[in-house]
Each structure stands twice: as C-alpha cells, then as structure tokens.
C-alpha cells in the first residue's frame, strides 16, 4: 500500500463540499448570535462512505480545528484532557458559563467501512502520513488510541470535546439503512455533506464508485437535507453552490435530570458535552442508590460474534471501556499540576477504570445464546480468546480449577463509581442539587417547558419547597421513575447485595489474580482515597468482593448475613478451591464450624469430612434495588409527545456497561443527531415499545 497523502487525498472532499466556508460560517454565527436567541445543538454532520486509512477524516478534523482557532479560540475550552473546576454541589453558584460555551459548533463524522483495517495496519499506514506532515501527529495519535476492536457494529469515538466520529463496520447499504433520521422531539437528523468514496491510500479512485448501487443512492436521498452537498473523487463531481445550512435542532438549553446514579450521571455528561446546561437532582447524593458499589465489574455478556452489531451488551461494553479509559486520561492530565510535593500514595488520582482483564468460566447463566469456545474464535483476540489450560491457570492464579471451558476477556476491568461521579461533577455545565423531586408537570402546549416541584434543605437544615422551570427533563430514577411519570414502565424490582472483606496476607497471596465471572463474580481491588465516603472500605487496603444476591420483589436495603452466604455458596460451587483459601486457619485445623454443604475438591477420603469454616461475621456489604424490564433492555427516549419528558432507566445490573452508550443515544435524540446504534436496536430501547406489555410469565427469566 502506498503512503497516504492528506494533501493529495482530501482537497476534493473539503473544497467541493465547501467545508472551509461552511465551518467558518458556523463559528461566525455563534460569535455574533444575539444573547436572546435560543441556542441550537445539532452538529454539522458528514458521512463518508469508507474510512480506509482515515486520512480524509484527519484532514477534516484538522480543518475544523484550524477554522475554530481562527474565528473563536475561546470556544476551544474544556477539551478532553483539560481540567474543569467548580463546586459540584453548589446550586446557587450558577457557574459562569458563557453563551460561547453553550453554543459552540460541533462536528459529527460518520464513516461506513465494510473492510476495516486492523490496528496494526492502520498504525503502519498512518506512520507514513506522520512522516509526511508531523503537524498531524496529535490527531493521528488520538485516532490510534481510540481505534476500536474490529467487530461489526457502530463504534463511537470522542476525538475531542467538539468532534465525534462514528465508525460503522459492516456492509455500507445496511449501515446507512440503520441510521435513524426520524429522531424524537426534533426536526430530525440529517447529513450536511457526503464523502462518496474512499481511496484507501491510493491516488486512484475505486471502480465502480460504491455509492452507485440503488440501495445506497436511496439511503443518500433519505438522509440528506435540502442543502446537502456530496462529492465523489471518482468523478470529481462539481457541486452547485448552495446556501450554508443552519444548525437545526431542538431549542433545549437547560435540562433537568432526576436521579444521580450511573444513568443520570452519564446522561448529564453526554448532554453537557453538547453544550447544554444540566441540573442533576438527587434526593441524597450521587451514587446513593444501586450505582454506589465499591466497584463495578465491566465485562461483556458474550454472544456469537456475528450478533455483536445488534447485541446491546457487547456494543455497549466496547464503547464504555473505551470511554472510561479516555476519562482516565482526562483525570490524569488534569491532575498533573497538583502532583508536586505530595506523598506518593496521593500523587495519583483515583482511576475511573482499572483494566484488569477477566476470566469467564462460561457457566450457562453468563451466556445469552448457545456459545461454546469454538465460536469465541470468531472474535478478535483483543476482545475474547480461549487460552490453553496452562495459560489460563497462570492468568487466574489458581491451580486446581477446571478450565476446559472458559473465555479470557482482555478488555474487561473494574469501574470505580466514586471516581466516575467525581469527574462528571467537575464539568462546568453540570450542577448537582441535593433535593427530592416530588412532581413533574409539562407546561405544553401553552409553554414548551416543564416544571419540577422540589423539596430541599436550606443552609440551616430547614426544608423548603420550590418550583423550577426547565426546557426538558430526563427521568433517571430507576424503579422510582414510574412514580414521577406513570407512562414509564413499572420495573421489576430485584434486590442485590454485594459483599466484601479485607483478606489476610496469607489469603491475599492465594486469591485469584484477576476478576472471575461465574453465576456471580469475584474480584480483588484496592479502595482509593475518598471511596470510604460512599462505602465502608479502608483506602489502600486490598479488598476482595463477591456477589451478588438476587431477590425478586424486595425493596429493603438492609445488610443480611444470609446473603453473604448466598454469594459465598455461588463462589464455592463455581470454584471449590476457594474453600480452603477463605477458611480461617485455626477453625480449619480443628474441624469446627458451620458446614456449607459444598464439597471440597480436596476431599478424596472415603468418609466425608466436615468442611473448613469460613467466617463471614466481619464482612461488609451494600444492598440495592435493580430496575429491570421483561425484555432486559433499558428505556431510552421520549416519554411524552412534545419532547419535554425523557427517560433513561431500567438498566438492571448492567448500568456501567449500558449507561454510557445509552446516554449518547438519549443526547443524540434530544439534539437531532444520528445515534450510534442501528434502527432495530433503537426500537428495542423505545420506552413505548410493545414488548413491555408482554406478560412476565411468557418471558425468559
């Protein structure tokens, strides 16, 4: 493959689509807007039929940056990696966010690619590009850092605070058909400019042009705005002059979100990044509900590789772990000036995501469909791989476990909910308010707004009642959501208790080296400074967690020793070797204590002996209530007919996997942007979908 040249590859697309002039017009419009004008948040959208080596995208991104710096350098604040600072719980401060902060233009690039390059091939190709033009190095580095695992489906990459890239891997016509242009509550998404072919590192066009097929032409017509332009490098089509498109979209500028669990937090983040002002209400504090565990295990629930594109858990996992790693970089970069003259233990900020990897023991409860180790071979090795028994035992750290059936997931890891919440709270467009939302009233049709009746304590602890007006509200209150709006599904309520304890030094040396997944899961982690403000943990003290229990229709959150035993029994059933590791040495030697009823894998005598005693009296725990739908898909979208009331709820036990991508879907719908999921999967998230009316007894449990 010849070295790609940005200079040779891109002028046709940039010049004939008039991108320099159109980008400049967007920035000029923002800079000269009347302060009374309603802000608009839809991005300028480009669709490229092909990603190839990415040179067209890099050149477009570079042009966007150049135009922005020439017109309004002040708009380029708060990019990923820069530090935010404000008081996250200050309701009265009303952070000094200027109109420029709210209205700055955004660029959304969508690429379809039927034959994506591997990361290694892309890296090698772009190396030549860097050598040709070293100024592109920061952009190329970011592309390579975020480049996704090569599996079918849509992969959203946040290149910067104002530039989003969606890579749709798979058949072009199918991917275009999956773009949903009829989004709720707005004038709909639409394409502003098309790059109609990709040169794949060559100066010669593809023959025949990929857009010539009738299905693709039909999709181009469906997705285009009246002012859309399109350029083919194959024919060097001359595009007639058109009026510069306006940024169409909804007029929401101040959004209320009810509930500061992971769904509400991620919705706040996605909306704030688009320039909207967000007030996030929670009756106590962020993470006070089901999202507040010491750690959340992030790992995919495996499905056959051919189903990934429309398998919510798989595609959400890929996005979430990529975003969490990016947020780690944001935190680390922001903390650099604060690291001087501090003890080593305080130098590093708490990581949002710890990439531990994970071993899935492939018990049937972990599998959506029939999946054996042979089918795992269809996955790229950087997502899932079957190790030989020697490798698996070495990775796991246990000697006797049967590992004939397993999957090693190298991208899995542990999420620190407290660190995630703290980072989101620092965004200057987000204000967090401790208050109870009692009622939500739509003011339509007389006034396109919503009114929240809230109850909160003043500085003296006296309860006061308030009414607050917002342009729209997002309900993210888990199973309480239906109380705030009866049109939201009344979720199944499932109690889950997660248990943890501090192991002895002897236990610590023998525990599994990485998280394990079975009918439950277990993981070793080290609490960070501040984690003890949310849960009873000891910072910097290695801790072993396991769980979780599963109790239907129980909304109590008391800590139950009996559920310690439930989680322990799951662990010992899946991994009998843990029996002796967790046993108290003195109790095990005397043969006293409670018989768990679980056979030890070391019991080879003819007469069954009493099991070593495992003392759980010192264990800690957290119990919370999961909100679950009958079809195991959350609710994401519009609740009313006016586009004023929305919801993101019903994540079940998968909130830290689902919520980041679902929040992007929600924000896209609210601002008139193409969502990063196929239309069929978007339909399965619709809060009004028919499957929610199916009787529970007719569904798989």
């Amino acid at each position: 493959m010849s070295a790609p040249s940005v200079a040779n590859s891109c002028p046709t697309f940039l010049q004939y689509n008039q991108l320099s002039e159109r980008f400049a017009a967007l920035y000029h419009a923002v800079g000269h807007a009347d302060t009374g004008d309603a802000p608009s948040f839809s991005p300028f959208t480009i669709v490229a039929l092909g990603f190839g080596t990415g040179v067209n995208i890099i050149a477009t991104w570079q042009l966007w940056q150049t135009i922005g710096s020439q017109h309004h350098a002040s708009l380029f604040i708060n990019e990923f990696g820069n530090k935010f600072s404000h008081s996250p719980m200050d309701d009265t401060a009303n952070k000094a966010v200027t109109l420029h902060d709210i209205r700055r233009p955004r660029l959304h690039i969508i690429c379809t690619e039927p034959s994506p390059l591997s990361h290694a091939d892309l890296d090698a190709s772009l190396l030549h590009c860097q050598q040709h033009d070293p100024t592109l190095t920061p952009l190329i580095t970011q592309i390579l850092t975020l480049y996704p695992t090569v599996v079918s489906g849509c992969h959203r990459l946040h290149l910067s605070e104002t530039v989003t890239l969606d890579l749709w891997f798979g058949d072009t016509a199918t991917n275009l058909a999956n773009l949903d242009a009829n989004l709720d509550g707005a004038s709909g998404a639409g394409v502003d400019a098309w790059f109609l072919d990709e040169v794949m590192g060559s100066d010669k066009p593809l023959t025949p042009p990929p857009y010539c097929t009738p299905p693709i032409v039909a999709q181009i017509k469906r997705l285009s705005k009246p002012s859309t332009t399109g350029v083919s490098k194959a024919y060097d089509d001359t595009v007639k002059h058109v009026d510069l498109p306006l940024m169409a979209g909804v007029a929401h500028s101040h959004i209320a979100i009810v509930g500061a669990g992971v769904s509400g937090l991620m919705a706040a983040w996605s909306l704030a990044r688009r320039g909207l002002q967000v007030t996030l209400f929670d009756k106590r504090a962020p993470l006070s509900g089901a999202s507040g565990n010491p750690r959340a295990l992030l790992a995919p629930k495996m499905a056959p590789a051919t189903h990934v594109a429309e398998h919510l858990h798989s595609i959400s996992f890929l996005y979430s772990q990529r975003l969490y790693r990016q947020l780690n970089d944001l935190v680390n970069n922001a903390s650099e000036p604060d690291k001087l003259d501090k003890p080593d233990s305080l130098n590093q900020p708490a990581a949002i995501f710890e990439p531990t990897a994970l071993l899935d023991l492939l018990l049937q409860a972990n599998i959506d469909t029939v999946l054996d180790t042979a089918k795992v071979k269809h996955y790229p090795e950087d997502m899932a791989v079957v190790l030989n028994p020697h490798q698996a035992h070495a990775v796991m750290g246990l000697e006797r476990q049967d590992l004939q059936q397993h999957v090693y997931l190298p991208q899995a890891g542990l999420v620190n909910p407290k660190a995630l919440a703290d980072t989101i709270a620092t965004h200057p467009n987000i204000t967090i308010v401790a208050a109870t939302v009692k009622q939500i009233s739509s003011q339509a049709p007389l006034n396109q707004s919503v009114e929240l009746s809230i109850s909160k304590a003043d500085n003296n602890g006296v309860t006061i009642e308030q009414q607050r007006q917002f342009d729209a509200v997002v309900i993210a209150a888990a199973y309480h959501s239906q109380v705030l709006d009866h049109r939201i599904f009344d979720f199944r309520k499932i109690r889950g208790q997660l248990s943890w304890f501090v192991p002895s030094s002897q236990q610590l040396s023998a525990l599994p080296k990485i998280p394990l997944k079975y009918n439950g899961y277990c993981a070793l982690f080290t609490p960070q400074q501040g984690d003890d403000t949310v849960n009873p943990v000891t910072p910097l003290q290695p801790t072993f967690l396991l769980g979780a229990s599963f109790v239907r229709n129980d909304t109590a959150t008391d800590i139950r020793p009996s559920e310690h035993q439930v989680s322990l029994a799951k662990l010992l059933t899946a991994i009998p070797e843990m029996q002796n590791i967790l046993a108290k040495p003195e109790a095990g030697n005397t043969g006293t204590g409670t018989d768990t009823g679980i056979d030890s894998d070391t019991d080879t005598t003819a007469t069954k002996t009493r099991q070593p005693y495992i003392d759980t009296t010192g264990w800690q725990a957290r119990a919370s209530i999961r909100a679950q739908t009958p079809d195991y898909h959350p609710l994401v979208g519009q609740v009313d007919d006016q586009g004023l009331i929305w919801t993101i709820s019903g994540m079940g036990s998968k909130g830290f996997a689902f919520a980041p991508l679902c929040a992007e879907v929600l924000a896209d719908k609210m601002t008139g942007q193409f969502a990063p999921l196929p239309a069929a999967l978007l339909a399965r998230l619709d809060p009004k979908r028919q499957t929610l009316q199916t009787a529970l007894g007719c569904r798989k449990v």
Side-chain angles (χ1 to χ4, degrees):
M1 180 181 296
S2 60
S5 167
V6 171
N8 292 333
S9 297
C10 304
T12 299
F13 294 115
L14 304 185
Q15 293 173 12
Y16 283 90
N17 274 311
Q18 300 173 308
L19 294 188
S20 181
E21 296 86 350
R22 295 164 84 178
F23 290 172
L26 294 177
Y27 278 96
H28 181 82
V30 169
H32 294 80
D34 189 313
T35 56
D37 292 345
S40 185
F41 304 96
S42 292
F44 188 94
T45 301
I46 298 171
V47 175
L49 302 191
F51 178 74
T53 59
V55 292
N56 292 334
I57 306 312
I58 292 167
T60 305
W61 181 15
Q62 184 186 46
L63 176 64
W64 177 264
Q65 285 191 334
T66 300
I67 298 298
S69 63
Q70 290 173 351
H71 285 76
H72 293 286
S74 62
L75 298 184
F76 282 89
I77 63 172
N78 298 335
E79 294 285 328
F80 270 122
N82 288 354
K83 187 174 184 178
F84 306 129
S85 62
H86 73 89
S87 175
M89 293 297 290
D90 185 2
D91 182 33
T92 61
N94 292 326
K95 294 173 282 297
V97 180
T98 67
L99 185 63
H100 284 181
D101 296 324
I102 298 174
R103 294 175 59 94
R104 54 191 172 147
R106 296 165 200 285
L107 177 63
H108 186 195
I109 305 173
I110 300 171
C111 293
T112 65
E113 180 52 67
S115 302
L117 297 178
S118 68
H119 190 282
D121 288 342
L122 182 64
D123 192 356
S125 296
L126 291 179
L127 176 62
H128 297 292
C129 195
Q130 285 180 266
Q131 294 170 344
H132 177 80
D133 185 355
T135 65
L136 297 175
T137 297
L139 308 186
I140 290 172
T141 299
Q142 181 75 328
I143 291 280
L144 291 173
T145 298
L146 299 177
Y147 192 70
T149 298
V150 180
V151 292
S152 61
C154 180
H155 306 272
R156 173 157 291 186
L157 315 183
H158 297 295
L159 301 183
S160 76
E161 187 74 5
T162 60
V163 182
T164 298
L165 170 63
D166 286 352
L167 294 177
W168 287 78
F169 292 161
D171 177 71
T172 297
T174 301
N175 285 333
L176 291 178
N178 276 327
L179 289 174
D180 186 359
N182 300 310
L183 302 182
D184 298 332
S187 58
V191 178
D192 295 293
W194 291 86
F195 295 177
L196 291 176
D197 49 26
E198 170 61 62
V199 294
M200 290 295 291
S202 168
D203 291 334
K204 296 181 180 180
L206 297 175
T207 303
Y211 67 88
C212 282
T213 64
I216 293 179
V217 171
Q219 293 303 324
I220 292 173
K221 291 179 179 179
R222 179 181 72 90
L223 297 170
S224 295
K225 298 178 179 179
S227 57
T228 297
T229 60
V231 174
S232 163
K233 190 163 187 182
Y235 292 103
D236 197 25
D237 291 337
T238 300
V239 180
K240 65 180 181 179
H241 176 76
V242 296
D243 292 334
L244 296 177
L246 299 175
M247 294 175 67
V250 293
H252 300 326
S253 60
H254 194 179
I255 310 297
I257 298 178
V258 184
V262 66
S263 295
L265 287 165
M266 293 312 308
W269 177 259
S270 291
L271 290 166
R273 288 191 65 252
R274 286 160 173 78
L276 285 84
Q277 293 277 17
V278 178
T279 298
L280 182 57
F281 293 96
D282 197 280
K283 58 185 176 182
R284 290 188 292 274
L287 305 178
S288 57
S291 300
N293 286 331
R295 292 294 182 272
L297 181 66
L298 186 70
K301 190 170 185 179
M302 302 300 294
T306 53
H307 296 175
V308 167
E310 293 191 1
H311 185 244
L312 182 64
H313 204 299
S314 297
I315 207 72
S316 294
F317 163 76
L318 289 169
Y319 173 78
S320 297
Q321 61 86 24
R322 191 165 56 245
L323 177 65
Y324 292 146
R325 292 170 192 262
Q326 197 169 2
L327 291 175
N328 273 352
D329 292 339
L330 184 155
V331 172
N332 290 330
N333 292 339
S335 68
E336 287 295 333
D338 300 331
K339 289 186 178 181
L340 299 178
D341 302 321
K342 289 185 178 180
D344 290 342
S345 61
L346 300 179
N347 272 345
Q348 292 297 327
I352 293 169
F353 181 68
E354 181 184 355
T356 60
L358 172 139
L359 202 67
D360 189 334
L361 302 184
L362 280 187
L363 300 182
Q364 191 61 38
N366 295 344
I367 306 170
D368 274 354
T369 56
V370 178
L371 176 70
D372 56 31
T373 53
K375 293 180 181 177
V376 174
K377 295 178 182 178
H378 296 141
Y379 277 92
E381 289 190 357
D382 63 347
M383 184 175 178
V385 64
V386 178
L387 305 176
N388 64 48
H390 176 74
Q391 292 172 321
H393 281 109
V395 167
M396 183 183 190
L398 299 179
E399 298 178 358
R400 301 183 181 89
Q401 180 67 25
D402 181 5
L403 293 175
Q404 294 304 311
Q405 291 287 320
H406 74 273
V407 175
Y408 178 66
L409 304 170
Q411 296 182 30
L414 298 174
V415 179
N416 182 339
K418 175 66 164 57
L420 177 64
D422 287 348
T423 298
I424 289 174
T426 60
H427 197 291
N429 288 359
I430 297 174
T431 299
I432 300 177
V433 181
T436 298
V437 176
K438 293 185 172 181
Q439 185 176 358
I440 298 172
S441 303
S442 171
Q443 304 300 301
L446 297 178
N447 182 11
Q448 290 297 309
S449 65
V450 290
E451 182 178 270
L452 271 61
S453 300
I454 67 171
S455 175
K456 59 175 292 188
D458 65 14
N459 294 334
N460 297 317
V462 177
T463 299
I464 58 175
E465 307 293 328
Q466 293 182 341
Q467 275 69 46
R468 298 278 300 272
Q469 297 282 334
F470 295 90
D471 296 307
V473 62
V474 176
I475 301 173
Y479 75 94
H480 295 293
S481 298
Q482 202 265 348
V483 176
L484 293 172
D485 195 304
H486 66 87
R487 291 168 293 190
I488 296 176
F489 181 76
D490 188 8
F491 297 111
R492 295 161 55 182
K493 302 163 186 68
I494 302 170
R495 170 190 160 94
Q497 177 174 303
L498 185 69
S499 304
W500 63 88
F501 65 92
V502 175
S504 67
S505 57
Q506 182 177 355
Q507 290 172 332
L508 185 61
S509 64
L511 287 171
K513 296 178 181 179
I514 64 172
L516 304 177
K517 187 177 177 185
Y518 40 92
N519 286 343
Y521 68 92
C522 64
L524 190 66
F525 75 101
T526 301
Q528 300 301 301
Q529 300 290 345
D531 286 357
D532 52 341
T533 64
V534 180
N535 289 292
V537 295
T538 304
L540 309 182
Q541 182 70 55
T543 302
F544 189 69
L545 62 80
L546 63 158
S549 60
F550 186 97
V551 185
R552 296 183 188 277
N553 301 317
D554 186 341
T555 58
T557 57
D558 57 307
I559 305 305
R560 300 173 184 172
S562 61
E563 291 182 36
H564 288 323
Q565 296 297 328
V566 169
S567 294
L568 177 61
K570 288 182 181 180
L571 174 69
L572 299 183
T573 300
I575 314 170
E577 188 175 346
M578 294 293 294
Q579 180 86 51
N580 288 330
I581 293 174
L582 298 183
K584 291 287 186 181
E586 62 276 11
N589 290 337
T590 60
T592 61
T594 302
D595 189 342
T596 65
I598 310 295
D599 288 342
S600 169
D601 62 337
T602 59
D603 182 10
T604 58
T605 60
T607 302
K608 181 178 179 181
T609 60
R610 195 170 182 81
Q611 299 301 320
Y613 174 67
I614 298 177
D615 183 7
T616 63
T617 55
W619 288 18
Q620 301 289 348
R622 182 186 181 105
S624 54
I625 312 305
R626 310 166 187 133
Q628 182 74 65
T629 60
D631 60 9
Y632 301 94
H633 284 73
L635 311 185
V636 184
Q638 188 174 316
V639 175
D640 64 352
D641 295 328
Q642 293 77 36
L644 301 178
I645 302 175
W646 303 72
T647 189
I648 176 171
S649 52
M651 301 286 164
S653 61
K654 303 175 180 66
F656 286 90
F658 286 171
L661 189 59
C662 287
E664 285 292 291
V665 169
L666 179 78
D668 289 342
K669 284 176 171 285
M670 294 183 73
T671 58
Q673 184 171 337
F674 290 107
L677 289 176
L681 189 48
L682 290 175
R684 295 202 290 272
L685 302 179
D686 188 343
K688 304 172 186 177
R689 61 187 182 268
Q690 186 61 38
T691 54
L692 295 177
Q693 311 309 317
T694 304
L696 294 182
C698 299
R699 298 205 151 269
K700 172 187 173 183
V701 176

